[in-house]
Amino acid sequence: MADVPPVSAVADVAALWDLDGWLTPPLEPVVPAVVPTTGRARTVRLEVADQGPGMGKAFELLSGDLSGQVVVWTGVAGAPGATWGEILSVAAAGCGAVGVLVDGAVRDVDDMTEVGVPVYAARRAVVGPNGTVHAVEVDVPVAIGDVEIRPGDTIVLDSSGCIRASSGVADELLAAAVAYAEGEGALLAALAAGEPLTTAYLHKKQAVAALRR
């Protein structure tokens, strides 16, 4: 869509509609999206084990076309170190990815910032996983906290955090969030013009009322 609403607007409309999808917390911006951005989820399920199949499936995904997509990197919350850093960000950028979600630790923050691909993660670490992380499946349903993410779901990113919009409702949800954000914009414009909050807030109240199901 031409206008991407702020994550906060998407989250508030999702709450109005009794939907889920909030990914912040646990994920926090490490390399924030400069402007609100959307992408389709490409999921990777990893596991922490001394023995396993290695990272071949993940590396294949990070060697293909990721144009307009967000890499969702899960199963590594308990990894002993960072499982994402500069090298993988460079690979993702080269494939056209517009964002990365890591349900675990990342490192090389300054270098990833120079790469420019937005990265959201649960924590930071300086050491790597020392061969204990393996890619088990790609393009399968995964979960971050209580939120399920399916391949093709829409991920919305901005400097405040990230949220998942399920593929079946994403277009409607984002369009409604644009209207919600416009209501907040009218509220702020009224305040800037000297209107008191008691009446200026009516702009947002009207937007919320129009969006209630």
Side-chain angles (χ1 to χ4, degrees):
M1 63 191 304
D3 295 319
V4 178
V7 166
S8 59
V10 181
D12 282 358
V13 175
L16 283 174
W17 292 358
D18 198 27
L19 302 173
D20 66 359
W22 306 288
L23 297 169
T24 299
L27 305 187
E28 297 293 338
V30 177
V31 181
V34 177
V35 297
T37 301
T38 63
R40 301 293 183 182
R42 292 294 303 276
T43 62
V44 182
R45 186 173 73 82
L46 303 110
E47 66 177 17
V48 181
D50 291 335
Q51 302 291 328
M55 294 296 289
K57 291 182 179 179
F59 288 1
E60 287 178 12
L61 183 140
L62 291 168
S63 299
D65 184 9
L66 295 173
S67 300
Q69 298 174 355
V70 175
V71 178
V72 182
W73 196 257
T74 67
V76 288
T83 63
W84 191 280
E86 178 189 12
I87 292 171
L88 296 188
S89 276
V90 170
C95 294
V98 297
V100 177
L101 308 184
V102 180
D103 190 21
V106 298
R107 65 179 181 180
D108 308 328
V109 176
D110 290 344
D111 296 317
M112 289 196 301
T113 300
E114 288 190 15
V115 174
V117 175
V119 177
Y120 296 71
R123 59 190 177 91
R124 304 184 190 191
V126 293
V127 69
N130 195 26
T132 61
V133 169
H134 307 273
V136 180
E137 295 178 290
V138 299
D139 293 327
V140 295
V142 297
I144 295 178
D146 295 330
V147 177
E148 183 181 63
I149 303 172
R150 292 179 172 273
D153 282 349
T154 295
I155 307 295
V156 190
L157 316 165
D158 69 12
S159 60
S160 65
C162 50
I163 187 171
R164 181 270 285 131
S166 296
S167 57
V169 299
D171 290 344
E172 183 184 9
L173 179 61
L174 267 62
V178 169
Y180 183 95
E182 289 172 349
E184 289 194 331
L187 185 165
L188 292 169
L191 289 174
E195 190 173 335
L197 180 61
T198 50
T199 57
Y201 196 81
L202 292 175
H203 294 288
K204 179 173 179 177
K205 187 175 181 179
Q206 291 167 354
V208 170
L211 292 170
R212 287 191 184 277
R213 286 178 160 175

